[in-house]
Amino acid sequence: IEETARYAAERGRKKVGIMATDGTVQGGMYKKAMEAQGIEVVYPSKERQEDVMSLIYEQIKRGEKGDRHQFMNVVHELRAQGCDAVILACTELSVLNVNYSLNPDFYIDAMNVVAKAALKNAVVYTASKFRYHKLKRYDIMSEREENTNLFVF
């Protein structure tokens, strides 16, 4: 959640809409993280939140594509409230990103943000653990000594 908030702040977002499950919305975790980055948070109205829950539980979790019209009803409401981005704050909503090729300048897929951050941190961690050794080895076939490099964890 904090990674997603940082990502939104780095892109200059000032007011974001959060599309998530009722539990995530009620927990307020995204609101807290966004506000810590100076970003205002907007949630869908009760009626539009029901659309979000329907998309997640009655459609995507059942293997359906997700109703684009229903999704866009939520997005239009959030845009009308001045949101300059919408956070897809549920892994099921990432399916909409894949199915409809959503504009990455407006939609922030929290799952993608976290996945990229995890990969970046893994690469940095792995690279920091390498030790470089210059070795001499004897090549039996050519009967000569060769220089070689070895990376060890």
Side-chain angles (χ1 to χ4, degrees):
I1 294 172
E2 286 81 11
E3 284 294 332
T4 303
R6 274 192 289 277
Y7 183 89
E10 288 168 2
R11 278 144 189 80
R13 301 301 180 247
K14 301 294 180 204
K15 188 174 186 179
V16 299
I18 305 291
M19 291 182 67
T21 63
D22 290 345
T24 299
V25 169
Q26 291 165 4
M29 298 173 287
Y30 274 93
K31 182 174 178 60
K32 182 179 176 184
M34 292 295 166
E35 287 176 349
Q37 294 289 333
I39 300 171
E40 185 180 345
V41 171
V42 176
Y43 293 108
S45 66
K46 185 179 185 305
E47 183 181 6
R48 295 289 74 90
Q49 181 61 25
E50 288 172 3
D51 287 339
V52 173
M53 293 298 287
S54 172
L55 283 162
I56 294 168
Y57 288 102
E58 295 170 14
Q59 298 173 39
I60 297 168
K61 278 191 178 276
R62 292 184 179 171
E64 296 175 20
K65 191 173 182 177
D67 184 306
R68 185 173 177 85
H69 178 73
Q70 194 172 25
F71 172 71
M72 291 309 296
N73 282 341
V74 179
V75 172
H76 290 308
E77 180 184 88
L78 295 171
R79 277 189 191 249
Q81 294 181 58
C83 292
D84 54 9
V86 167
I87 310 288
L88 304 176
C90 176
T91 54
E92 282 76 20
L93 295 176
S94 294
V95 171
L96 295 169
N97 193 16
V98 172
N99 289 343
Y100 298 114
S101 301
L102 302 177
N103 180 352
D105 291 332
F106 183 72
Y107 298 97
I108 299 174
D109 186 338
M111 185 173 75
N112 283 350
V113 171
V114 171
K116 287 176 185 175
L119 286 172
K120 179 181 169 188
N121 290 335
V123 168
V124 168
Y125 174 78
T126 302
S128 72
K129 297 297 177 189
F130 276 119
R131 300 291 184 267
Y132 176 77
H133 299 280
K134 198 153 192 74
L135 301 174
K136 294 254 186 217
R137 76 176 180 93
Y138 186 77
D139 185 340
I140 296 172
M141 298 304 282
S142 67
E143 296 184 352
R144 65 186 177 145
E145 217 173 61
E146 295 179 342
N147 287 325
T148 189
N149 300 318
L150 176 66
F151 292 95
V152 205
F153 287 100

